[in-house]
Each structure stands twice: as C-alpha cells, then as structure tokens.
Amino acid sequence: MKYDETEIRVRFNEVDSWGIVWHGHYLAWFEVGRMALLRKFDLLPQDFTHMGYRAPVVDLKCTFKEPAAVDEEVLIRTTVLQPTKAALTFHFRALRKRDGKLLAAGEETQVLLTLDGRMLYVIPEDLQRKLQPLFDYLGESVSAA
Amino acid sequence: MPEDLILELKKLIIQTLKLEEITPENIEDDGALFGDGLGLDSIDALELVVALEKVYRVVIPDSAVGERVFRSVKTLAQFVMENSSAGGVRAAKAS
C-alpha cells in the first residue's frame, strides 16, 4: 500500500532531559502526517464539517523503537487502511532520514458522527465518494461498511 | 422469542468481540449490552453491525437506530427477525 510522506526536523524544545525526542511529540508528528495526506484530498476537519460530519479519534496506539536527537530529520509516512467498518484507521511510521531506521510506529482510529452527535455505522454514500480519491491514491477501495 | 436465534446472537456477539471470558449463559436476554450491562462500547457496536450485516443482511445505519436495537439481545433478535433479508437463513428458521 502506498503512503504519504512528510518531513520533520527535531526542534530543541522537542527533546527531553536525556537529549532524545519526548515520546508525546511523535503523536503530534503523526497528526502533521495525517493532515498533510488529508489536505491533498480536501478531507480536512472543516471539509468533514462542511459535509455535516465529524470524525473524532477514538483509539491511538504508538510503539517506540529508536530514539531521535535534536536537529535530526524524521520522515513521517502515513497511510489509511481500507475501511471494514464505518471508521478510518491511519497507520504511521516515523523513520530517521539519515539511516532509514524506524523510530516509532502508530495507529489511530476515527469514527464518524453527524454534527448532532449521531454515530454512523455505515459510511454514507456522499462520504464514500469523497473518500474514494484518497483510497485510489493509496491503492485501496472504500468498502460498503 | 425464538430461543435458538437468541442463543445464536449471543454466540455472534461473543465471537465478533472476542469476549473470551463470557459464555452465552452469562448474557441475559433482557440485560443491557452497553454501559452497565455487558459493558460494550460504541466501537463494539461498529464491529457488531458489520457481523450482523454479513450473517443476517440487516443494516443498522447509525446510533439512533442502534440504541434501540442494541438495548438487549432480545431487542436485537426482534430487529433481526423483522429486517433480515438473508432469505431467512437463520432468522426464519428460528421463527
């Protein structure tokens, strides 16, 4: 499956007292990767709102493999799994650009709500159409879930 | 209410949500599936909707319908009996 790639450079304020990136920043970087991917397909939060939906995060996981130091370049690779239910699941990988080592891997799940708070159990047709270019790009298809 | 459909739905819930420490006998026919009852959450509902669609070809579009359907195994069975288009594979057999 294809992925979208965003580059980050570790800032001084992102390392902890041991001189390595504080773990919480990876989640913020994953968010940078997610927004960069979604921006390409007009699927930013305001686009969801415009269509009458919200997509809150309900699950977030991260595992940490290697530390990164200040000023190192980090690649954030983001992809979305083909939906098997009415939810969007993103996968993230943070790699050190210099040697390609995996620093952290993450997964995030968003569900779909209407603006009045009704949770959708099936992806509505208008949203399926809107999501299709994203999955075409990633080599996936939007299922009927 | 057909007992075999009730039992089948309990097994489907356990299998779909991988409730390894629960047996069908632990799930009350009238007991709440969410919150204080069996303790299922909204993500569990998403998984159940997919399984129910696959087995019984019933569609539960959103939480407004889900709140009514997922109140208990009994209400779920009632919904399946009224809405299954699976040629009555199991629902009709049970009725």
Side-chain angles (χ1 to χ4, degrees):
Chain A
M1 192 196 304
K2 284 204 293 191
Y3 52 79
D4 192 60
E5 190 170 271
T6 300
E7 202 167 312
I8 302 277
R9 187 179 284 275
V10 180
R11 294 180 296 187
F12 182 73
N13 66 306
E14 290 172 323
V15 296
D16 61 18
S17 52
W18 296 306
I20 58 173
V21 170
W22 179 66
H23 66 280
H25 289 302
Y26 286 95
L27 304 184
W29 294 348
F30 291 162
E31 182 66 18
V32 172
R34 187 168 65 95
M35 294 291 273
L37 173 59
L38 294 179
R39 187 175 295 112
K40 290 180 177 172
F41 299 95
D42 297 325
L43 287 167
L44 291 174
Q46 59 266 35
D47 298 310
F48 274 79
T49 305
H50 184 70
M51 294 182 74
Y53 307 115
R54 286 185 287 163
V57 174
V58 293
D59 191 38
L60 182 59
K61 301 183 185 91
C62 187
T63 55
F64 303 94
K65 305 292 186 186
E66 290 278 336
V70 70
D71 209 41
E72 279 192 317
E73 290 169 297
V74 176
L75 303 174
I76 306 297
R77 291 181 179 170
T78 308
T79 194
V80 195
L81 302 186
Q82 180 179 344
T84 55
K85 53 182 180 283
L88 296 174
T89 301
F90 292 80
H91 276 194
F92 307 97
R93 290 167 72 81
L95 301 107
R96 190 187 290 118
K97 188 178 178 184
R98 175 169 48 82
D99 57 10
K101 280 237 170 156
L102 180 65
L103 304 172
E107 181 183 309
E108 179 207 80
T109 301
Q110 292 173 264
V111 295
L112 300 167
L113 303 183
T114 56
L115 294 182
D116 60 3
R118 205 160 28 92
M119 186 171 169
L120 299 175
Y121 292 160
V122 177
I123 300 178
E125 275 184 26
D126 61 341
L127 195 51
Q128 282 195 36
R129 279 196 300 275
K130 183 83 174 165
L131 289 167
Q132 193 58 59
L134 166 66
F135 290 103
D136 287 345
Y137 171 78
L138 296 169
E140 295 280 358
S141 61
V142 183
S143 81
Chain B
M1 189 64 60
E3 284 305 312
D4 49 353
L5 177 60
I6 295 267
L7 178 62
E8 200 172 81
L9 287 168
K10 288 178 180 178
K11 287 179 179 171
L12 183 77
I13 292 168
I14 290 168
Q15 188 185 346
T16 303
L17 304 178
K18 300 178 178 65
L19 305 175
E20 287 162 6
E21 293 178 4
I22 305 275
T23 64
E25 294 74 35
N26 297 139
I27 304 174
E28 291 175 32
D29 295 1
D30 284 320
L33 293 176
F34 291 82
D36 292 337
L38 194 57
L40 306 187
D41 61 27
S42 55
I43 305 303
D44 295 327
L46 282 184
E47 303 284 355
L48 277 180
V49 165
V50 174
L52 289 163
E53 202 275 335
K54 201 175 286 179
V55 177
Y56 301 104
R57 295 185 208 157
V58 291
V59 176
I60 304 171
D62 57 31
S63 58
V65 178
E67 274 174 28
R68 182 166 49 82
V69 173
F70 290 130
R71 200 165 289 157
S72 68
V73 177
K74 213 176 227 179
T75 58
L76 177 57
Q78 187 68 41
F79 180 81
V80 168
M81 285 193 349
E82 288 170 3
N83 295 277
S84 179
S85 62
V89 175
R90 293 162 188 240
K93 186 185 117 197
S95 62

Coordinates of all heavy atoms in Angstrom, one line a residue, chain A residues 27-108:
Chain A
L27 N 3.2 11.7 18.5 CA 1.7 11.8 18.2 C 1.4 13.1 17.5 O 0.6 13.1 16.6 CB 0.9 11.7 19.5 CG 1.2 10.5 20.4 CD1 0.3 10.4 21.6 CD2 1.0 9.2 19.6
A28 N 2.1 14.2 17.9 CA 1.9 15.4 17.2 C 2.4 15.3 15.8 O 1.8 15.9 14.8 CB 2.6 16.6 17.9
W29 N 3.5 14.6 15.6 CA 4.1 14.5 14.2 C 3.2 13.6 13.4 O 3.0 13.8 12.2 CB 5.5 13.8 14.3 CG 6.5 14.7 15.0 CD1 6.4 16.0 15.3 CD2 7.8 14.3 15.4 NE1 7.5 16.5 15.9 CE2 8.4 15.4 16.0 CE3 8.5 13.1 15.4 CZ2 9.7 15.4 16.5 CZ3 9.8 13.1 15.9 CH2 10.4 14.2 16.4
F30 N 2.6 12.6 14.0 CA 1.6 11.7 13.2 C 0.5 12.6 12.7 O 0.0 12.5 11.6 CB 1.1 10.6 14.1 CG 2.1 9.5 14.4 CD1 1.8 8.7 15.5 CD2 3.3 9.4 13.7 CE1 2.8 7.7 15.8 CE2 4.2 8.4 14.1 CZ 4.0 7.6 15.1
E31 N 0.1 13.5 13.6 CA -1.0 14.5 13.2 C -0.6 15.3 12.0 O -1.4 15.6 11.1 CB -1.4 15.3 14.4 CG -2.5 16.3 14.2 CD -3.9 15.6 14.0 OE1 -4.0 14.4 14.3 OE2 -4.7 16.3 13.4
V32 N 0.7 15.7 12.0 CA 1.2 16.5 10.9 C 1.1 15.7 9.6 O 0.6 16.1 8.5 CB 2.6 16.9 11.1 CG1 3.2 17.6 9.8 CG2 2.7 17.9 12.3
G33 N 1.5 14.4 9.7 CA 1.4 13.5 8.6 C 0.0 13.3 8.1 O -0.3 13.3 6.9
R34 N -0.9 13.1 9.1 CA -2.3 12.8 8.7 C -3.0 14.0 8.0 O -3.6 13.9 7.0 CB -3.1 12.5 10.0 CG -4.6 12.1 9.8 CD -5.2 11.6 11.0 NE -5.3 12.6 12.1 CZ -6.4 13.3 12.3 NH1 -7.5 13.0 11.5 NH2 -6.5 14.2 13.2
M35 N -2.7 15.2 8.5 CA -3.2 16.4 7.9 C -2.7 16.7 6.5 O -3.4 17.1 5.6 CB -3.0 17.7 8.8 CG -3.7 17.6 10.1 SD -5.5 17.8 10.0 CE -5.6 19.6 10.0
A36 N -1.4 16.4 6.3 CA -0.8 16.5 5.0 C -1.4 15.6 4.0 O -1.7 16.0 2.9 CB 0.7 16.3 5.1
L37 N -1.7 14.4 4.4 CA -2.4 13.5 3.5 C -3.8 13.9 3.2 O -4.2 14.0 2.0 CB -2.4 12.0 4.1 CG -3.2 11.0 3.4 CD1 -2.6 10.8 1.9 CD2 -3.1 9.7 4.1
L38 N -4.5 14.2 4.2 CA -5.9 14.6 4.0 C -6.1 15.9 3.3 O -7.1 16.1 2.5 CB -6.7 14.7 5.4 CG -6.8 13.3 6.2 CD1 -7.4 13.5 7.5 CD2 -7.5 12.3 5.3
R39 N -5.2 16.8 3.5 CA -5.2 18.1 2.8 C -5.2 17.9 1.2 O -5.9 18.6 0.5 CB -4.0 19.0 3.2 CG -4.1 20.4 2.6 CD -3.0 21.3 3.2 NE -3.1 21.5 4.6 CZ -2.2 21.0 5.5 NH1 -1.2 20.3 5.1 NH2 -2.4 21.2 6.8
K40 N -4.5 16.9 0.8 CA -4.4 16.7 -0.7 C -5.8 16.3 -1.3 O -6.0 16.4 -2.5 CB -3.5 15.5 -0.9 CG -2.0 15.9 -0.7 CD -1.1 14.7 -1.0 CE 0.4 15.2 -0.7 NZ 1.3 14.1 -0.8
F41 N -6.7 15.8 -0.4 CA -8.0 15.3 -0.9 C -9.2 16.1 -0.4 O -10.3 15.6 -0.4 CB -8.1 13.8 -0.6 CG -7.0 13.0 -1.3 CD1 -5.9 12.7 -0.6 CD2 -7.1 12.7 -2.6 CE1 -4.8 12.0 -1.2 CE2 -6.1 12.0 -3.2 CZ -4.9 11.7 -2.5
D42 N -8.9 17.3 0.1 CA -9.9 18.2 0.7 C -10.7 17.4 1.8 O -12.0 17.4 1.8 CB -10.9 18.7 -0.4 CG -10.1 19.6 -1.4 OD1 -9.2 20.3 -0.9 OD2 -10.5 19.6 -2.6
L43 N -10.0 16.7 2.6 CA -10.6 15.9 3.7 C -10.2 16.4 5.1 O -10.2 15.6 6.0 CB -10.3 14.4 3.5 CG -11.0 13.7 2.4 CD1 -10.3 12.4 2.1 CD2 -12.4 13.5 2.6
L44 N -9.9 17.7 5.2 CA -9.5 18.3 6.5 C -10.8 18.4 7.4 O -11.9 18.3 6.9 CB -8.9 19.6 6.3 CG -7.5 19.6 5.6 CD1 -7.0 21.0 5.3 CD2 -6.5 18.9 6.5
P45 N -10.6 18.5 8.7 CA -11.8 18.6 9.5 C -12.9 19.5 9.1 O -14.1 19.2 9.1 CB -11.2 19.1 10.9 CG -9.8 18.5 10.8 CD -9.3 18.6 9.4
Q46 N -12.5 20.7 8.5 CA -13.5 21.7 8.1 C -14.3 21.1 6.9 O -15.5 21.5 6.7 CB -12.9 23.0 7.8 CG -11.8 23.1 6.7 CD -10.4 22.9 7.3 OE1 -10.2 22.3 8.3 NE2 -9.5 23.6 6.7
D47 N -13.6 20.3 6.1 CA -14.3 19.7 4.9 C -15.4 18.6 5.4 O -16.5 18.6 4.9 CB -13.3 19.0 4.0 CG -12.3 19.9 3.4 OD1 -12.7 21.0 2.9 OD2 -11.1 19.7 3.5
F48 N -15.0 17.9 6.5 CA -16.0 17.0 7.1 C -17.1 17.8 7.6 O -18.3 17.4 7.4 CB -15.3 16.2 8.2 CG -14.6 14.9 7.7 CD1 -13.3 15.0 7.1 CD2 -15.2 13.7 7.8 CE1 -12.7 13.8 6.7 CE2 -14.6 12.5 7.4 CZ -13.3 12.6 6.8
T49 N -16.8 18.8 8.3 CA -17.9 19.7 8.9 C -18.8 20.2 7.9 O -20.0 20.2 8.0 CB -17.3 20.8 9.7 OG1 -16.3 20.3 10.7 CG2 -18.3 21.6 10.5
H50 N -18.2 20.6 6.8 CA -19.0 21.2 5.7 C -20.0 20.1 5.1 O -21.1 20.5 4.7 CB -18.0 21.7 4.6 CG -18.7 22.3 3.4 ND1 -19.3 23.6 3.5 CD2 -19.0 21.9 2.2 CE1 -19.9 23.9 2.4 NE2 -19.7 22.9 1.5
M51 N -19.6 18.9 5.2 CA -20.5 17.8 4.7 C -21.5 17.3 5.7 O -22.3 16.5 5.5 CB -19.6 16.6 4.2 CG -18.8 16.9 3.0 SD -17.8 15.4 2.6 CE -19.2 14.4 1.8
G52 N -21.3 17.9 7.0 CA -22.2 17.5 8.0 C -21.7 16.4 8.9 O -22.5 15.8 9.7
Y53 N -20.4 16.2 8.9 CA -19.8 15.1 9.7 C -18.7 15.6 10.6 O -18.1 16.6 10.3 CB -19.3 13.9 8.8 CG -20.3 13.4 7.8 CD1 -20.1 13.6 6.5 CD2 -21.5 12.8 8.3 CE1 -21.0 13.2 5.5 CE2 -22.4 12.3 7.3 CZ -22.2 12.5 6.0 OH -23.1 12.1 5.1
R54 N -18.5 14.8 11.6 CA -17.2 14.9 12.5 C -16.6 13.6 12.5 O -17.2 12.6 12.4 CB -17.6 15.4 13.9 CG -18.0 16.8 14.0 CD -18.2 17.3 15.4 NE -19.5 16.7 15.9 CZ -19.8 16.6 17.2 NH1 -18.9 17.1 18.1 NH2 -20.9 16.1 17.6
A55 N -15.3 13.6 12.8 CA -14.5 12.3 12.8 C -13.6 12.3 14.0 O -12.4 12.4 13.9 CB -13.8 12.1 11.5
P56 N -14.1 12.1 15.2 CA -13.3 12.1 16.4 C -12.4 10.9 16.5 O -12.8 9.8 16.0 CB -14.3 12.2 17.5 CG -15.5 11.6 17.0 CD -15.6 11.9 15.5
V57 N -11.2 11.1 17.1 CA -10.3 10.0 17.3 C -10.8 9.2 18.5 O -11.1 9.7 19.6 CB -8.9 10.5 17.6 CG1 -8.0 9.4 18.0 CG2 -8.4 11.3 16.4
V58 N -10.9 7.9 18.4 CA -11.4 7.0 19.5 C -10.3 6.0 19.9 O -10.4 5.3 20.9 CB -12.6 6.3 19.1 CG1 -13.8 7.2 18.9 CG2 -12.5 5.4 17.9
D59 N -9.2 5.9 19.1 CA -8.2 5.0 19.5 C -6.9 5.4 19.0 O -6.8 5.9 17.8 CB -8.5 3.6 19.0 CG -7.6 2.5 19.6 OD1 -7.3 2.6 20.8 OD2 -7.1 1.6 18.9
L60 N -5.8 5.3 19.8 CA -4.5 5.8 19.4 C -3.4 4.9 20.0 O -3.5 4.7 21.3 CB -4.3 7.3 19.8 CG -3.1 8.0 19.5 CD1 -2.8 8.0 18.0 CD2 -3.1 9.4 20.0
K61 N -2.6 4.4 19.2 CA -1.5 3.5 19.8 C -0.2 3.9 19.2 O -0.1 4.4 18.1 CB -1.7 2.0 19.3 CG -3.0 1.4 19.7 CD -3.0 0.0 19.3 CE -4.4 -0.7 19.5 NZ -5.3 -0.6 18.4
C62 N 0.9 3.8 20.0 CA 2.2 4.1 19.5 C 3.2 3.2 20.1 O 3.2 2.9 21.3 CB 2.5 5.6 19.8 SG 4.0 6.1 19.0
T63 N 4.1 2.7 19.3 CA 5.3 1.9 19.9 C 6.5 2.6 19.5 O 6.6 3.1 18.4 CB 5.3 0.4 19.4 OG1 5.3 0.4 18.0 CG2 4.1 -0.4 19.9
F64 N 7.5 2.6 20.4 CA 8.7 3.3 20.2 C 9.9 2.4 20.0 O 10.1 1.5 20.8 CB 9.0 4.3 21.4 CG 7.8 5.2 21.6 CD1 6.8 4.9 22.5 CD2 7.7 6.4 20.9 CE1 5.7 5.7 22.7 CE2 6.6 7.2 21.1 CZ 5.6 6.9 22.0
K65 N 10.7 2.6 19.0 CA 11.7 1.6 18.6 C 13.1 2.2 18.8 O 14.0 1.4 19.3 CB 11.6 1.2 17.1 CG 10.2 0.7 16.8 CD 9.9 -0.7 17.4 CE 8.6 -1.3 17.0 NZ 8.3 -2.5 17.7
E66 N 13.3 3.4 18.4 CA 14.7 4.0 18.4 C 14.5 5.5 18.9 O 13.5 6.1 18.5 CB 15.3 4.0 17.1 CG 15.8 2.6 16.6 CD 17.1 2.1 17.1 OE1 17.9 3.0 17.5 OE2 17.3 0.9 17.2
P67 N 15.5 6.0 19.5 CA 15.4 7.4 19.9 C 15.9 8.3 18.7 O 16.7 7.9 17.9 CB 16.4 7.6 21.1 CG 17.4 6.5 20.8 CD 16.7 5.4 20.1
A68 N 15.4 9.6 18.7 CA 15.9 10.6 17.8 C 16.5 11.8 18.6 O 16.0 12.0 19.7 CB 14.8 11.0 16.9
A69 N 17.4 12.4 18.0 CA 18.1 13.5 18.7 C 17.7 14.9 18.0 O 17.2 14.9 16.9 CB 19.6 13.3 18.6
V70 N 18.1 15.9 18.7 CA 17.8 17.3 18.2 C 18.4 17.5 16.8 O 19.5 17.0 16.5 CB 18.2 18.4 19.2 CG1 19.7 18.5 19.3 CG2 17.6 19.7 18.9
D71 N 17.7 18.2 15.9 CA 18.1 18.6 14.6 C 18.1 17.4 13.6 O 18.5 17.6 12.4 CB 19.5 19.3 14.6 CG 19.6 20.3 13.4 OD1 18.5 20.9 13.1 OD2 20.6 20.3 12.8
E72 N 17.8 16.2 14.0 CA 17.7 15.1 13.1 C 16.5 15.2 12.2 O 15.4 15.7 12.7 CB 17.7 13.7 13.8 CG 19.1 13.3 14.3 CD 19.1 11.8 14.7 OE1 18.2 11.4 15.5 OE2 20.1 11.1 14.4
E73 N 16.6 14.8 11.0 CA 15.5 14.8 10.1 C 14.7 13.5 10.2 O 15.3 12.4 10.2 CB 15.9 15.0 8.7 CG 16.5 16.4 8.4 CD 17.2 16.5 7.1 OE1 18.2 15.8 6.9 OE2 16.7 17.3 6.2
V74 N 13.4 13.6 10.3 CA 12.5 12.5 10.5 C 11.4 12.4 9.4 O 10.8 13.5 9.1 CB 11.8 12.5 11.9 CG1 10.8 11.4 12.1 CG2 12.8 12.5 13.0
L75 N 11.2 11.3 8.9 CA 10.2 11.1 7.8 C 9.0 10.5 8.5 O 9.1 9.5 9.2 CB 10.7 10.2 6.7 CG 12.0 10.6 6.0 CD1 12.4 9.5 5.0 CD2 11.8 11.9 5.3
I76 N 7.8 11.1 8.2 CA 6.6 10.6 8.8 C 5.8 10.0 7.6 O 5.5 10.7 6.6 CB 5.7 11.7 9.4 CG1 6.5 12.4 10.5 CG2 4.4 11.0 10.0 CD1 6.9 11.6 11.7
R77 N 5.6 8.7 7.6 CA 4.9 8.0 6.5 C 3.5 7.7 7.0 O 3.3 7.0 8.0 CB 5.6 6.8 6.0 CG 6.9 7.2 5.3 CD 7.7 6.0 4.8 NE 8.9 6.4 4.1 CZ 9.8 5.6 3.7 NH1 9.7 4.3 4.0 NH2 10.9 6.0 3.1
T78 N 2.5 8.1 6.3 CA 1.1 8.0 6.7 C 0.3 7.2 5.6 O 0.4 7.6 4.4 CB 0.4 9.4 6.9 OG1 1.3 10.1 7.8 CG2 -0.9 9.3 7.5
T79 N -0.5 6.3 6.1 CA -1.5 5.7 5.1 C -2.8 5.4 5.9 O -2.8 5.5 7.1 CB -0.9 4.4 4.5 OG1 -1.6 4.0 3.4 CG2 -0.8 3.3 5.6
V80 N -3.8 5.1 5.1 CA -5.1 4.7 5.7 C -5.5 3.3 5.2 O -5.4 3.0 4.0 CB -6.2 5.7 5.2 CG1 -7.4 5.6 6.1 CG2 -5.7 7.1 5.2
L81 N -6.0 2.5 6.1 CA -6.4 1.2 5.8 C -7.8 1.2 5.1 O -8.6 2.1 5.4 CB -6.5 0.3 7.0 CG -5.3 0.1 7.8 CD1 -5.5 -0.9 8.9 CD2 -4.1 -0.3 7.0
Q82 N -8.0 0.3 4.2 CA -9.3 0.1 3.6 C -10.4 -0.1 4.7 O -10.2 -1.0 5.5 CB -9.3 -1.0 2.6 CG -10.7 -1.2 2.0 CD -10.7 -2.4 1.0 OE1 -9.6 -2.8 0.6 NE2 -11.8 -2.8 0.6
P83 N -11.4 0.7 4.8 CA -12.4 0.5 5.9 C -13.1 -0.8 5.8 O -13.6 -1.2 4.8 CB -13.4 1.7 5.7 CG -12.8 2.6 4.7 CD -11.8 1.8 3.9
T84 N -13.2 -1.5 6.9 CA -14.0 -2.7 7.0 C -15.2 -2.4 7.9 O -16.1 -3.2 8.0 CB -13.2 -3.9 7.7 OG1 -12.7 -3.4 9.0 CG2 -12.1 -4.3 6.8
K85 N -15.3 -1.2 8.4 CA -16.4 -0.7 9.2 C -16.4 0.8 9.0 O -15.6 1.3 8.4 CB -16.3 -1.1 10.7 CG -15.0 -0.7 11.4 CD -15.0 -1.2 12.8 CE -13.8 -0.9 13.5 NZ -12.6 -1.7 13.2
A86 N -17.4 1.4 9.6 CA -17.6 2.9 9.5 C -16.6 3.6 10.3 O -16.9 4.3 11.3 CB -19.0 3.3 9.8
A87 N -15.3 3.5 10.0 CA -14.2 4.1 10.8 C -13.0 4.3 9.8 O -12.9 3.5 8.9 CB -13.8 3.3 12.0
L88 N -12.2 5.2 10.1 CA -11.0 5.4 9.3 C -9.8 5.1 10.2 O -9.6 5.6 11.3 CB -10.8 6.9 8.9 CG -11.9 7.3 7.9 CD1 -11.8 8.8 7.6 CD2 -11.8 6.5 6.6
T89 N -8.9 4.2 9.8 CA -7.8 3.8 10.6 C -6.5 4.2 9.8 O -6.2 3.7 8.7 CB -7.8 2.3 10.9 OG1 -9.0 1.9 11.6 CG2 -6.6 1.8 11.7
F90 N -5.7 5.0 10.5 CA -4.5 5.5 9.9 C -3.3 4.7 10.5 O -3.3 4.4 11.7 CB -4.3 7.0 10.2 CG -5.3 7.9 9.5 CD1 -6.5 8.1 10.0 CD2 -4.9 8.6 8.4 CE1 -7.5 8.9 9.4 CE2 -5.8 9.4 7.8 CZ -7.1 9.6 8.2
H91 N -2.3 4.5 9.7 CA -1.1 3.9 10.2 C 0.1 4.9 9.9 O 0.1 5.5 8.9 CB -0.8 2.6 9.4 CG -1.5 1.4 10.0 ND1 -1.1 0.1 9.7 CD2 -2.5 1.3 10.9 CE1 -1.9 -0.7 10.4 NE2 -2.7 0.0 11.1
F92 N 0.9 5.0 10.9 CA 2.0 5.9 10.8 C 3.4 5.2 11.1 O 3.4 4.3 11.9 CB 1.9 7.0 11.9 CG 0.6 7.7 11.9 CD1 -0.4 7.3 12.7 CD2 0.3 8.8 11.0 CE1 -1.6 7.9 12.8 CE2 -0.9 9.4 11.0 CZ -1.9 9.0 11.9
R93 N 4.4 5.7 10.4 CA 5.8 5.2 10.7 C 6.7 6.4 10.7 O 6.6 7.2 9.7 CB 6.3 4.2 9.6 CG 5.5 2.9 9.7 CD 5.8 2.0 8.5 NE 7.1 1.5 8.5 CZ 7.5 0.4 9.2 NH1 6.7 -0.2 9.9 NH2 8.8 0.0 9.1
A94 N 7.4 6.6 11.7 CA 8.4 7.7 11.8 C 9.8 7.1 11.6 O 10.2 6.1 12.4 CB 8.3 8.4 13.2
L95 N 10.5 7.5 10.6 CA 11.8 7.0 10.3 C 12.9 8.0 10.3 O 12.7 9.2 9.9 CB 11.8 6.3 8.9 CG 10.8 5.2 8.7 CD1 9.7 5.7 7.8 CD2 11.5 4.0 8.1
R96 N 14.1 7.7 10.8 CA 15.2 8.6 10.8 C 15.7 8.7 9.3 O 15.9 7.7 8.7 CB 16.4 8.1 11.7 CG 17.4 9.1 11.8 CD 18.6 8.6 12.6 NE 18.3 8.4 14.0 CZ 18.4 7.2 14.6 NH1 18.7 6.1 13.9 NH2 18.1 7.0 15.9
K97 N 15.7 9.9 8.8 CA 16.0 10.1 7.3 C 17.4 9.6 7.0 O 17.6 9.0 6.0 CB 15.8 11.6 6.9 CG 15.9 11.8 5.4 CD 15.7 13.2 5.1 CE 15.9 13.4 3.6 NZ 15.8 14.8 3.2
R98 N 18.4 9.9 7.9 CA 19.8 9.6 7.6 C 20.0 8.1 7.4 O 20.7 7.7 6.4 CB 20.6 10.0 8.9 CG 22.1 9.7 8.9 CD 22.7 10.5 10.0 NE 22.1 10.4 11.3 CZ 22.2 9.3 12.2 NH1 23.0 8.3 11.8 NH2 21.6 9.3 13.3
D99 N 19.4 7.2 8.2 CA 19.7 5.8 8.0 C 18.4 4.9 7.8 O 18.5 3.7 7.7 CB 20.5 5.2 9.2 CG 19.7 5.5 10.5 OD1 18.6 5.9 10.5 OD2 20.3 5.3 11.6
G100 N 17.3 5.6 7.7 CA 16.0 4.8 7.5 C 15.5 4.0 8.6 O 14.6 3.2 8.5
K101 N 16.1 4.2 9.8 CA 15.7 3.4 11.0 C 14.3 3.8 11.4 O 14.0 5.0 11.5 CB 16.7 3.5 12.1 CG 18.0 2.7 12.0 CD 18.2 1.8 13.2 CE 19.2 0.8 12.9 NZ 19.9 0.3 14.1
L102 N 13.6 2.7 11.8 CA 12.2 3.0 12.3 C 12.3 3.5 13.8 O 12.9 2.9 14.6 CB 11.4 1.7 12.3 CG 10.0 1.8 12.8 CD1 9.1 2.7 12.0 CD2 9.3 0.4 13.0
L103 N 11.8 4.7 14.0 CA 11.8 5.3 15.3 C 10.5 5.0 16.1 O 10.6 4.7 17.3 CB 11.9 6.9 15.2 CG 13.1 7.4 14.4 CD1 13.0 8.9 14.2 CD2 14.4 7.0 15.1
A104 N 9.4 5.1 15.4 CA 8.1 4.8 16.1 C 7.1 4.4 15.1 O 7.2 4.8 13.9 CB 7.7 6.0 16.9
A105 N 6.1 3.6 15.5 CA 5.0 3.2 14.6 C 3.7 3.5 15.4 O 3.7 3.2 16.6 CB 5.1 1.8 14.2
G106 N 2.7 4.0 14.7 CA 1.5 4.3 15.4 C 0.2 3.9 14.6 O 0.3 3.7 13.3
E107 N -0.9 3.9 15.3 CA -2.2 3.6 14.6 C -3.2 4.5 15.3 O -3.2 4.6 16.5 CB -2.5 2.1 14.8 CG -3.8 1.7 14.1 CD -4.2 0.3 14.3 OE1 -3.3 -0.6 14.1 OE2 -5.3 0.0 14.7
E108 N -4.1 5.0 14.5 CA -5.1 5.9 15.0 C -6.5 5.6 14.3 O -6.5 5.4 13.1 CB -4.8 7.3 14.8 CG -5.7 8.4 15.3 CD -5.6 9.6 14.4 OE1 -6.2 9.7 13.3 OE2 -5.0 10.6 14.9

